């Protein structure tokens, strides 16, 4: 009986550790709250736009992560200023977030000179 209890406890602990690790990676990969609202693929990667109740968020994700290269992502609410993240990154630029309750937004991304963008969306 004691051995069963020990094995069950150990199995539960291992499952919790593995589940926590996988969940942490998924959240870190997107880094944007909300649901995926739009994906714009382009030659070197893709632009992903997420929408939560009051906010919109964008990330630029490289198709082939690896060497550092110039990346940028921009999101702008209608009537507001754009929010930009740019630099030399290996995998993604962003996230960038704007308040977008009852507002349209537009987003764009550039990775190694290739770009993708949305028009006004989430209206």
């Amino acid at each position: 009986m004691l051995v069963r209890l020990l094995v069950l406890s150990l199995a539960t602990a291992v499952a919790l550790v593995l589940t926590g690790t996988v969940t942490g990676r998924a959240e870190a990969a997107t880094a944007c709250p909300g649901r995926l609202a739009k994906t714009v693929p382009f030659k070197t990667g893709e632009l992903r736009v997420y929408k939560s109740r009051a906010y919109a968020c964008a990330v630029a994700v490289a198709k082939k992560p690896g060497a550092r290269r110039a990346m940028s992502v921009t999101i702008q609410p209608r009537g507001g200023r754009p929010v930009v993240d740019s630099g030399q990154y290996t995998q993604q630029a962003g996230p960038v977030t704007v308040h977008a309750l009852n507002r349209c937004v537009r987003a764009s991304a550039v990775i190694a000179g290739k770009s993708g963008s949305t028009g006004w969306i989430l209206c």
Side-chain angles (χ1 to χ4, degrees), residues 32-37 49-58 75 77 83 96-105 122:
C32 279
R35 65 175 174 76
L36 181 62
V49 180
Y50 294 82
K51 175 74 170 136
S52 64
R53 184 178 178 281
Y55 294 91
C57 178
I75 190 166
V83 178
V96 288
T97 303
V98 294
H99 189 266
L101 184 62
N102 300 322
R103 296 169 98 180
C104 304
V105 298
L122 309 177

Side-chain angles (χ1 to χ4, degrees), residues 2 7 29 56 68 75 84 94 122:
L2 183 59
V7 169
R68 290 194 177 276
I75 190 166
V84 180
L122 309 177

Side-chain angles (χ1 to χ4, degrees), residues 6-113:
L6 183 59
V7 169
L8 182 60
S9 297
L10 184 59
T12 303
V14 169
L16 287 174
V17 168
L18 292 177
T19 303
T21 303
V22 172
T23 302
R25 285 185 191 160
E27 290 171 3
T30 62
C32 279
R35 65 175 174 76
L36 181 62
K38 180 90 172 168
T39 302
V40 179
F42 53 97
K43 188 168 183 167
T44 54
E46 65 184 23
L47 167 64
R48 297 178 189 164
V49 180
Y50 294 82
K51 175 74 170 136
S52 64
R53 184 178 178 281
Y55 294 91
C57 178
V59 293
V61 181
K63 189 177 282 187
K64 295 181 182 177
R68 290 194 177 276
R69 66 200 118 176
M71 292 188 194
S72 71
V73 63
T74 305
I75 190 166
Q76 178 181 8
R78 190 179 297 253
R81 294 180 183 243
V83 178
V84 180
D85 178 33
S86 64
Q88 298 288 319
Y89 301 112
T90 59
Q91 185 171 356
Q92 82 175 35
V96 288
T97 303
V98 294
H99 189 266
L101 184 62
N102 300 322
R103 296 169 98 180
C104 304
V105 298
R106 64 180 171 190
S108 62
V110 179
I111 299 175

